[in-house]
């Protein structure tokens, strides 16, 4: 079992080394989009399932509360938090609509959807992206594997950050680092520090 | 900004390389404790604040639903989920008691508390550990920095998994990998696969 643990560390490190080649440019583009969105008075909606719901909430918590520096709260909403709303939508309509219905209610032109899925194929994330497009929002997609159906929904002006791995756990580990990079970039651009 | 992103990747990779030296043995011990707990018909309660709340929920979701293989649901409860309960306890008593009160209600001798804090100093996690000890539960602590006050509360039979870093974001990135290793070990021990 000790060997399996060491192998997981080795795999996780290797996936980050591969990602360090592929991802800094799309991350920088996504951070620029988010900065412009926030400067324009808009907000960021985030969503994901399972571990990616945790990531969506981790991102909104860093914006609403703080990441590393002291600054004013920034507008973000994770769409996986309101279990009363989610169980009502899933029960009355379908689980696939739990995020899209919230986006029809809350999304404004110029807002960003941060859509997180390791497979790129989760039905409720696809419907969330379609809802965002119909609300004139732009999309930052965190994906993995071959990008799935989400990759096919990207328009000019959207950004896909696709982790080069086929293993869900390894992809999630890089997604968390990507989220930290986005928060760091937003903070340092909006609130430059003397260093 | 591109340089900052690349630096974050380098730092994150380096932290995982350091952790790959220090953590596999305590992770193996924690996984063994969790396996014995589940075999004995007990359950795992998890808690954390902010990003670590997401980690606590990520862990319970992998156990209650699934990690990588198909197997029966396993008993875990993340104590950060019930916002009605949390806001009531924080409003009527204090924020420091949001987890400990739930542990007094739900914790049974033989259950495990998975307590997650990058600083090791969050007041509600300390109170959660004290509640767990008084309920004859054992503790798996995921910490960082110098282990904080949590390190001083560990008894024989408990395990601390302390990430060798002083940066909250880097510690959280390793915590997620540790959680994946724990889930992998639990699954492979309880449900061996022909490979
Ligand atoms: O393909 P995704 O959108 O990433 O969705 C995967 C999730 O539904 C969850 O599936 C399993 O329960 C586990 O692999 C979780 O970690 C994952 O978040
Ligand atoms: O010291 P901890 O128990 O890890 O608690 C830290 C949390 O309250 C959160 O603090 C800030 O909001 C951010 O650094 C979050 O990522 C962190 O989870």
């Amino acid at each position: 079992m000790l060997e399996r643990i060491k192998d997981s560390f080795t795999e996780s490190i290797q996936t980050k080394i591969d990602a360090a080649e592929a991802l800094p440019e799309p991350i920088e583009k996504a951070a620029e989009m988010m900065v412009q969105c926030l400067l324009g008075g808009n907000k960021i909606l985030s969503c994901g399932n399972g571990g990616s719901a945790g990531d969506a909430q981790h991102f909104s918590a860093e914006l609403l509360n703080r990441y590393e520096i002291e600054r004013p709260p920034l507008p973000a909403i994770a769409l996986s938090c309101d279990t009363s709303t989610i169980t009502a939508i899933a029960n009355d309509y379908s689980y696939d609509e739990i995020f899209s219905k919230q986006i029809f209610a809350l999304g404004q032109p110029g807002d960003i959807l941060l859509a997180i899925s390791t497979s790129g194929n989760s039905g409720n994330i696809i419907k969330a992206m379609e809802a965002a497009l119909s609300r004139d929002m732009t999309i930052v997609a965190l994906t993995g594997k071959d990008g799935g159906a989400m990759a096919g929904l990207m328009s000019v002006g959207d950004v896909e950050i696709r982790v080069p791995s086929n293993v869900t756990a390894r992809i999630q580990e890089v997604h968390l680092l990507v989220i930290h990079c986005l928060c760091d970039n937003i903070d340092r651009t909006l609130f430059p520090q003397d260093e």
Side-chain angles (χ1 to χ4, degrees), chain A residues 123-138:
Chain A
N124 55 4
I125 305 292
I126 302 295
K127 284 216 182 300
M129 289 175 69
E130 290 166 351
L133 292 173
S134 81
R135 300 292 289 171
D136 288 322
M137 296 168 59
T138 48

Side-chain angles (χ1 to χ4, degrees), chain A residues 49-52 117-119 122 168 172:
Chain A
N49 294 282
S52 301
S117 169
T118 62
S119 63
S122 291
T168 302
Q172 289 169 346

